[in-house]
Amino acid sequence: DSGVTQTPKHLITATGQRVTLRCSPRSGDLSVYWYQQSLDQGLQFLIQYYNGEERAKGNILERFSAQQFPDLHSELNLSSLELGDSALYFCASSVGSGSTEQFFGPGTRLTVL
Amino acid sequence: AQKVTQAQTEISVVEKEDVTLDCVYETRDTTYYLFWYKQPPSGELVFLIRRNSFDEQNEISGRYSWNFQKSTSSFNFTITASQVVDSAVYFCALSEAFRTGSARQLTFGSGTQLTVLP
């Protein structure tokens, strides 16, 4: 158990809908990363937050957004969902912004029908 | 730009055989970090090892060993005497060196599906 929690574990929704994925980092970790694992794109970095502020952006679509709250949990919002958004979404946390050691949560499996 | 290549998409071995998973990386940085993660059928990502670019010593942990060769930009992973429980997807990943204000997101390879048959 990495200490990173993600909810829900599974999510099934329809095209055009909007969903929110939640992540709670390990106690003491200030940085949260979101990754997407899909059959087409593999595992790719989406976005990072550090202590409430966006720190880095990767291949994140404009339909996706994220935020980190004062209690350091983070939410990834996916809107206008398409079939291709079906994927496993991982959250990872680390102590600092530049920490090399990231601890991954169990992931949220999103299925868009 | 960073890139990680795992040319072996799938490998199948019989239990007790040794198996090596290849990883080749590209980066412009002189300081960087390399990782291996395991993803069992249950789906979670399990951290196996982190190595910085200044440490080219090979590492052994039980049945696992890693061979880092900067000259060939490779960071290969060997499982000795494989077991059925080793069946998983294995990912190699690269992280750039820290610069003030920068992040250290991981760039992953495409993964190698290892199947160990009884």
Side-chain angles (χ1 to χ4, degrees):
Chain A
D1 186 352
S2 67
V4 179
T5 60
Q6 289 187 248
T7 56
K9 190 163 183 167
H10 300 279
L11 196 50
I12 301 175
T13 188
T15 54
Q17 295 299 305
R18 172 189 169 94
V19 297
T20 297
L21 312 183
R22 182 187 170 105
C23 168
S24 293
R26 290 187 325 153
S27 177
D29 284 358
L30 299 178
S31 207
V32 170
Y33 303 77
W34 286 97
Y35 292 85
Q36 178 196 57
Q37 184 179 24
S38 65
L39 288 175
D40 292 343
Q41 303 293 329
L43 251 173
Q44 58 176 358
F45 167 71
L46 296 179
I47 197 165
Q48 183 210 3
Y49 277 81
Y50 174 71
N51 205 19
E53 293 186 3
E54 182 183 304
R55 183 54 62 95
K57 254 184 177 178
N59 298 323
I60 187 166
L61 300 172
E62 285 192 13
R63 300 183 285 107
F64 296 1
S65 65
Q67 53 184 327
Q68 186 179 27
F69 295 86
D71 67 353
L72 300 177
H73 90 272
S74 178
E75 293 180 356
L76 179 66
N77 301 296
L78 314 176
S79 62
S80 303
L81 285 168
E82 302 174 0
L83 295 178
D85 297 327
S86 295
L88 189 51
Y89 291 84
F90 287 105
C91 167
S93 73
S94 65
V95 171
S97 173
S99 174
T100 59
E101 196 161 2
Q102 294 180 23
F103 297 86
F104 281 81
T108 293
R109 185 169 294 281
L110 173 66
T111 302
V112 182
L113 302 175
Chain B
Q2 302 178 108
K3 186 178 178 182
V4 177
T5 301
Q6 295 179 255
Q8 303 151 309
T9 306
E10 295 180 23
I11 299 177
S12 185
V13 299
V14 176
E15 207 170 19
K16 297 184 183 173
E17 285 184 355
D18 299 347
V19 57
T20 296
L21 310 182
D22 297 332
C23 173
V24 174
Y25 62 91
E26 295 175 30
T27 179
R28 292 175 297 184
D29 286 336
T30 54
T31 304
Y32 48 89
Y33 291 81
L34 294 163
F35 304 79
W36 275 94
Y37 284 86
K38 173 182 179 179
Q39 187 175 39
S42 51
E44 73 271 24
L45 281 169
V46 178
F47 168 83
L48 295 178
I49 190 172
R50 174 187 62 194
R51 176 54 55 89
N52 75 55
S53 54
F54 293 114
D55 183 2
E56 288 194 70
Q57 280 194 335
N58 291 333
E59 181 156 340
I60 298 174
S61 176
R63 296 184 297 107
Y64 295 170
S65 62
W66 291 270
N67 182 356
F68 176 30
Q69 292 197 346
K70 223 168 170 177
S71 60
T72 56
S73 297
S74 65
F75 186 43
N76 297 337
F77 173 32
T78 298
I79 302 175
T80 302
S82 59
Q83 300 175 2
V84 173
V85 292
D86 295 327
S87 296
V89 180
Y90 290 86
F91 290 95
C92 180
L94 170 67
S95 174
E96 290 181 336
F98 178 72
R99 299 182 187 85
T100 302
S102 75
R104 266 191 175 148
Q105 65 265 34
L106 297 170
T107 298
F108 286 89
S110 55
T112 297
Q113 169 72 60
L114 173 65
T115 301
V116 181
L117 303 169

